[in-house]
Amino acid sequence: MMIPLFSDQGRAQIDRIVRPGVLCAFDFDGTLSPFVGYENASLPEAICQKLLHLQSMTPVAILTGRAMADIRARLPFKPDFLVANHGLEGVPGQEKDHEKYRRTVACWAEALQLALDNPTRYDRGVSLDNKRYSLAVHYRKAADYDATEGRLTRLFAEAAPTAHVLPGKFVYNLIPPGAPDKGDALSELMKAAGAQTALYVGDDWTDEDVFALDNPAILTVRVEKSDESRARFYLETQEDIATLLDALIDKLQSAFPRGGGRPTQGN
């Protein structure tokens, strides 16, 4: 059962995990950014300033399903680690498989678009987003969600049978077989940062690969409670992310001598 993060038990876990060097990692849409639709998402100025303050004391990472070029354009600051495409972009050492993933996704996109162009079978509100190494199929603008979901899942089985289909909020993400996920990415980032502990905050099915990690050194937090999630703790609403960032900053400030902070590092 999920536990409120701002409970006695949750605050005890913050005290245990949050120490100098902790890797603070966040999803973007619906977590750092309010969920306002895929095209309109942005990082609020107040949240950006809190992240910059937090980054002055400990490494900060953003893990998103967006393509790298897309997420970079939406961030007014440079986090220590920026991982895109559900873990396929931004993790050191993974570039060797990118061309294989690109070819796979290109084949899926061609087959799916050919099918979706038939208006008698598929809702015109469905759209493809080829993110080069993964493929997103959006259906927020569809007239009938249930019917569209059924037709799409059957289409994926026909046109992209090897895909790992990762559902999200009015979107299906098609991931190449064998590709790393957000859980793999976070584990690698902890090694790259030399972090003994980490905190991860997300809000969707796309974050469950992190929530499912069996690692007591990682504090997993979901935005909004869900009985189906494997995150251990939850925030009541997305607006509580500001309160969490303040709590992290206060906790880390108490761990440094007066005027101290994180040594300057290159990104």
Side-chain angles (χ1 to χ4, degrees), residues 2-3 39 46 53 71 85 114 120 124 139 163 168 227 236 260:
M2 298 180 73
I3 302 166
E39 300 86 354
H53 194 173
I71 188 61
N85 256 309
L114 184 64
T120 64
R124 303 302 291 174
Y139 60 98
D227 292 336
E236 292 284 353

Side-chain angles (χ1 to χ4, degrees), residues 24-212:
C24 294
F26 307 89
D27 175 47
F28 183 73
D29 293 89
T31 301
L32 294 177
S33 169
F35 190 74
V36 292
Y38 194 77
E39 300 86 354
N40 302 319
S42 63
L43 186 67
E45 175 63 22
I47 298 300
C48 180
Q49 292 304 314
K50 293 178 190 296
L51 287 169
L52 284 169
H53 194 173
L54 181 63
Q55 190 181 23
S56 72
M57 293 181 285
T58 204
V60 168
I62 295 177
L63 282 67
T64 177
R66 291 179 179 270
M68 185 64 78
D70 184 338
I71 188 61
R72 279 179 174 157
R74 297 173 191 273
L75 293 180
F77 83 109
K78 186 178 181 182
D80 294 270
F81 302 100
L82 183 57
V83 175
N85 256 309
H86 307 287
L88 280 84
E89 288 186 279
V91 178
Q94 291 183 349
E95 300 83 358
K96 60 182 176 63
D97 292 321
H98 279 179
E99 181 57 23
K100 177 179 66 175
Y101 299 146
R102 186 199 64 77
R103 291 196 302 268
T104 298
V105 169
C107 289
W108 292 344
E110 182 178 1
L112 290 175
Q113 191 62 65
L114 184 64
L116 293 172
D117 284 342
N118 182 347
T120 64
R121 293 190 62 194
Y122 297 100
D123 194 302
R124 303 302 291 174
V126 177
S127 63
L128 293 186
D129 179 14
N130 186 340
K131 297 181 289 185
R132 194 171 177 84
Y133 308 120
S134 73
L135 186 66
V137 184
H138 297 274
Y139 60 98
R140 173 173 288 277
K141 297 179 181 179
D144 186 330
Y145 292 147
D146 290 339
T148 298
E149 288 173 354
R151 292 190 183 108
L152 287 177
T153 53
R154 289 191 292 272
L155 175 60
F156 300 152
E158 297 170 4
T162 62
H164 171 45
V165 180
L166 188 62
K169 293 177 179 176
F170 303 105
V171 62
Y172 286 109
N173 301 281
L174 275 61
I175 313 295
D181 56 36
K182 282 187 177 183
D184 299 321
L186 184 65
S187 297
E188 290 301 314
L189 295 188
M190 288 179 69
K191 296 176 186 177
Q196 298 299 309
T197 60
L199 169 142
Y200 182 79
V201 190
D203 77 306
D204 203 353
W205 287 110
T206 60
D207 301 299
E208 289 297 323
D209 289 317
V210 179
F211 298 156

